Amino acid sequence: MAEQKELVEDKDIDDEEDNEEISNYQLVNLIVGQTSKLQYDFLANTLSEVKFTSQNSSIASVDDEGKITGISPGTTTITLEYTGGKLEFYITVNDSY
């Protein structure tokens, strides 16, 4: 059985200096049953209150700490909302091999 490694990639989608919202997104690939912790350490100085939500929790779930779990194959978005902005994580979950 081949092991699939998790892919996390940061991409800038908006370089406007006047924009107070951090305009980044992250791509995360998982297999069904795999878990991963979302990376948002670069926001540590701006976080006072955070809230994670999954657009489709039947594909990927997320807990209050940012730990995601692949539930079933598909794609979804997990949003991290914090005081002053939000960060989106685009999640793809594939069948295990």
Side-chain angles (χ1 to χ4, degrees), residues 2 4 6 18-19 23 30-31 36 38 40 42-44 51 75-76 82 84 90 92:
Q4 181 178 358
E6 164 191 347
D18 297 331
N19 188 355
S23 299
L30 298 172
I31 58 173
S36 180
L38 295 174
Y40 57 97
F42 61 93
L43 290 172
K51 178 183 177 185
T75 58
T76 191
Y82 59 94
Y90 298 100
T92 299

Side-chain angles (χ1 to χ4, degrees), residues 27-42:
L27 304 174
V28 181
N29 288 310
L30 298 172
I31 58 173
V32 172
Q34 184 179 15
T35 61
S36 180
K37 177 93 164 79
L38 295 174
Q39 301 299 313
Y40 57 97
D41 297 340
F42 61 93

